[in-house]
Amino acid sequence: MQITKNIMKKQEVKIKIDPHNNIQFYIPSEYAQIHFGKKQKYLSFGAKNTASSMAEAYTTLNILQNDLETGAFSILNLDKYKHSSNREKIDYVQVEQLNLLELFDRYVKYYSAFITVTTLKRYRVIYRNSLLDVKDINVFTEQGQLKIAEHLIENRGKTTQYKLLGTLDRMIEWAKENSLIPRNIPNNFPSHRGKASKLPKKKREQILFLKDVQDRQLEYGAWTIEERNLIIETILTRKITNKFFSQIDVRGLLYEFLFLTGARPEEAFALNWGNVTSKNGLTYIRIDKVYTDGCLINKTKNGKVRNIPLQPRAAEIIEELRAAYSKLEINMGKDDLVFRNARGGYLRITYISKIWRGDVPKNKIGCVPQLVIDGKLPYYIEPYSTRRTFISLELQSGADLKSVADYVGDTSETLLKHYYFGNKNYIPKI
């Protein structure tokens, strides 16, 4: 009998209060593994710890407990377990009033609360753009779903088609769960996804307009210190026609800064002067937000806030910008941007990438592909290699893995799996 009580107690949903005084539901491991694939899971109730909110939370807890025990729980309907003031109000509409993109946008708006910033960007940009050519196809019919699947399989890479078909499957089920569409609407996307998974992977072409570089591309990789320095020098000495950037090369210095800090581009875009401090002769930056997809988001990719000291040259870059802005009489208040565009606004990855890879519509070759064509670099890698290069060079130099992971705002496991590429010139010492 004691064993039974312990098991039952272990499976009970509990109310917890987080450090910010927000109410959460603790999902026990058995249910967390079944529904979320994790050993433990917390669901936000969406309300502060007040007497009235706590009373409603206990009522919701009983509903959540019952749904978990009876099998009625669905991750597609988590709004059901939120405070009444935070539940998304979804009205039933006629299917004829919705097209594919409208339903997709509604689903992504709901789903955005459960995914990271960069994953959300993938949904809003890559996945949404992949549906533009089929937006007028009726997604609520078997024939329409087949046409959408065939288009994705024909025109998108295997990873995108597989993940997007899975997203469309969840989107249809979410719409049914929330009474947005009738429950008798067919959903053949799981079948189409299964077929797509068995197809061979297409070779990804990253810079189609550069014929001389196509066979010398790495989808992932890092540069040696000599290659890194060559890229930095080439970018900083390029011809600049813009009047503002000819006075202070913010974009070129940004690339050097990314190489020297391992920061994600969207973190550097959001950096303001209030994030820059000095202590004991060192310059520190506080990374606590990102600018991506045209939006400022007050958290980082994985929610980690970090205060990091800058190495001497990175600190010099900050001072170069400070001196240039002062000379140009540009404001440097705590909310003003460190890396800004000519009008004082945010830089964008699509804008600064033209320096690195080139301008496709104008058929202009960027700094890095040109170095490949000239035989000065062995291959081409996309701009995010700045982060991978910083991590690889630090680890090659003997830096502690955990310290590097904390510095760049990631885990040791992630660094070894996705960012560290070893030493190309390694020679055994024994």
Side-chain angles (χ1 to χ4, degrees):
M1 182 62 67
Q2 184 64 37
I3 295 176
T4 304
K5 285 184 179 179
N6 289 339
I7 294 175
M8 291 301 293
K9 184 176 181 181
K10 188 179 180 181
Q11 293 181 338
E12 288 180 356
V13 179
K14 297 179 181 179
I15 289 179
K16 300 286 186 179
I17 307 300
D18 74 5
H20 303 288
N21 204 34
N22 297 309
I23 300 174
Q24 295 179 317
F25 294 120
Y26 169 74
I27 308 298
S29 60
E30 288 81 354
Y31 296 125
Q33 289 174 349
I34 292 172
H35 297 288
F36 299 96
K38 299 181 178 180
K39 292 183 179 180
Q40 62 178 4
K41 178 69 178 178
Y42 290 88
L43 293 182
S44 172
F45 182 55
K48 295 289 185 181
N49 179 21
T50 64
S52 58
S53 295
M54 186 60 74
E56 184 177 333
Y58 274 106
T59 301
T60 305
L61 179 145
N62 293 330
I63 296 172
L64 176 56
Q65 181 75 47
N66 182 69
D67 287 352
L68 288 168
E69 292 176 355
T70 61
F73 177 85
S74 172
I75 62 172
L76 298 172
N77 193 18
L78 296 180
D79 272 356
K80 180 179 181 181
Y81 312 111
K82 286 189 176 294
H83 188 271
S84 54
S85 63
N86 282 316
R87 292 176 192 151
E88 185 178 354
K89 295 176 174 60
I90 301 177
D91 299 322
Y92 180 85
V93 296
Q94 295 297 321
V95 170
E96 291 77 10
Q97 295 175 313
L98 278 178
N99 66 26
L100 173 58
L101 286 183
E102 289 170 341
L103 182 60
F104 182 81
D105 288 342
R106 290 193 185 197
Y107 173 68
V108 171
K109 180 182 177 183
Y110 156 78
Y111 197 48
S112 62
F114 311 106
I115 54 180
T116 63
V117 172
T118 49
T119 302
L120 177 59
K121 183 177 181 180
R122 188 185 310 135
Y123 276 77
R124 287 179 172 172
V125 180
I126 298 176
Y127 293 171
R128 195 180 193 281
N129 289 346
S130 298
L131 297 174
L132 290 177
D133 291 336
V134 293
K135 62 183 174 59
D136 296 324
I137 294 177
N138 189 346
V139 69
F140 305 113
T141 67
E142 292 184 354
Q143 188 63 27
Q145 293 173 7
L146 176 61
K147 289 181 180 179
I148 292 169
E150 288 176 341
H151 172 81
L152 294 176
I153 291 172
E154 179 65 27
N155 296 283
R156 292 293 179 267
K158 184 173 182 179
T159 300
T160 297
Q161 62 187 240
Y162 181 78
K163 290 188 175 181
L164 184 47
L165 288 170
T167 298
L168 295 176
D169 166 30
R170 295 191 299 274
M171 177 190 75
I172 293 293
E173 294 305 315
W174 167 80
K176 291 180 182 180
E177 286 279 348
N178 290 279
S179 301
L180 191 60
I181 61 176
R183 287 189 172 273
N184 61 355
I185 292 292
N187 181 11
N188 289 339
F189 285 119
S191 174
H192 298 318
R193 187 189 190 207
K195 294 174 183 176
S197 67
K198 299 176 183 179
L199 296 174
K201 187 174 183 179
K202 294 181 180 179
K203 184 178 179 181
R204 180 183 179 188
E205 295 183 339
Q206 295 172 316
I207 42 177
L208 301 177
F209 68 106
L210 297 175
K211 302 297 182 183
D212 295 332
V213 185
Q214 282 187 21
D215 295 332
R216 288 177 283 170
Q217 297 178 58
L218 289 183
E219 188 167 355
Y220 302 101
W223 306 102
T224 65
I225 192 168
E226 294 79 14
E227 292 165 347
R228 180 202 71 180
N229 293 342
L230 175 62
I231 293 171
I232 292 173
E233 179 185 3
T234 303
I235 289 176
L236 291 177
T237 56
R238 75 193 188 285
K239 181 180 179 181
I240 302 174
T241 57
N242 180 279
K243 182 179 179 180
F244 172 75
F245 290 126
S246 65
Q247 299 176 85
I248 175 64
D249 186 11
V250 179
R251 297 170 298 177
L253 292 173
L254 171 62
Y255 270 119
E256 185 177 8
F257 186 82
L258 295 176
F259 266 124
L260 298 176
T261 61
R264 301 176 179 92
E266 61 269 22
E267 294 173 341
F269 296 157
L271 194 65
N272 53 42
W273 289 104
N275 295 131
V276 181
T277 57
S278 297
K279 184 179 179 181
N280 298 328
L282 293 175
T283 299
Y284 287 78
I285 58 171
R286 176 181 173 86
I287 298 178
D288 56 6
K289 54 188 174 295
V290 300
Y291 180 80
T292 183
D293 197 23
C295 298
L296 179 66
I297 301 174
N298 290 313
K299 65 176 182 178
T300 60
K301 177 181 178 180
N302 48 22
K304 293 183 178 181
V305 175
R306 57 194 196 276
N307 271 305
I308 59 173
L310 299 181
Q311 55 106 295
R313 174 53 193 157
E316 285 179 9
I317 291 174
I318 298 296
E319 293 310 311
E320 283 183 32
L321 291 169
R322 195 193 302 273
Y325 291 170
S326 178
K327 184 177 180 180
L328 294 170
E329 298 183 346
I330 293 173
N331 291 332
M332 287 179 284
K334 66 181 183 64
D335 295 325
D336 292 312
L337 298 173
V338 175
F339 297 99
R340 43 160 284 170
N341 63 27
R343 296 182 179 180
Y346 293 97
L347 292 172
R348 293 172 179 259
I349 190 66
T350 52
Y351 184 43
I352 69 164
S353 291
K354 292 179 181 180
I355 297 172
W356 184 285
R357 66 165 69 100
D359 192 330
V360 178
K362 296 181 180 180
N363 201 33
K364 289 185 178 180
I365 298 175
C367 292
V368 178
Q370 189 62 58
L371 288 172
V372 178
I373 293 172
D374 294 342
K376 296 179 180 180
L377 288 177
Y379 38 68
Y380 175 85
I381 320 176
E382 290 286 15
Y384 202 73
S385 57
T386 57
R387 180 172 170 84
R388 291 192 291 267
T389 298
F390 173 82
I391 293 169
S392 285
L393 292 178
E394 286 298 311
L395 294 179
Q396 288 172 27
S397 71
D400 175 65
L401 175 61
K402 179 66 166 56
S403 298
V404 176
D406 290 341
Y407 191 90
V408 299
D410 238 316
T411 65
S412 300
E413 293 76 14
T414 301
L415 260 59
L416 291 177
K417 184 176 181 180
H418 297 291
Y419 291 105
Y420 182 49
F421 290 85
N423 188 343
K424 299 176 184 177
N425 302 315
Y426 171 73
I427 300 175
K429 297 179 181 179
I430 299 177

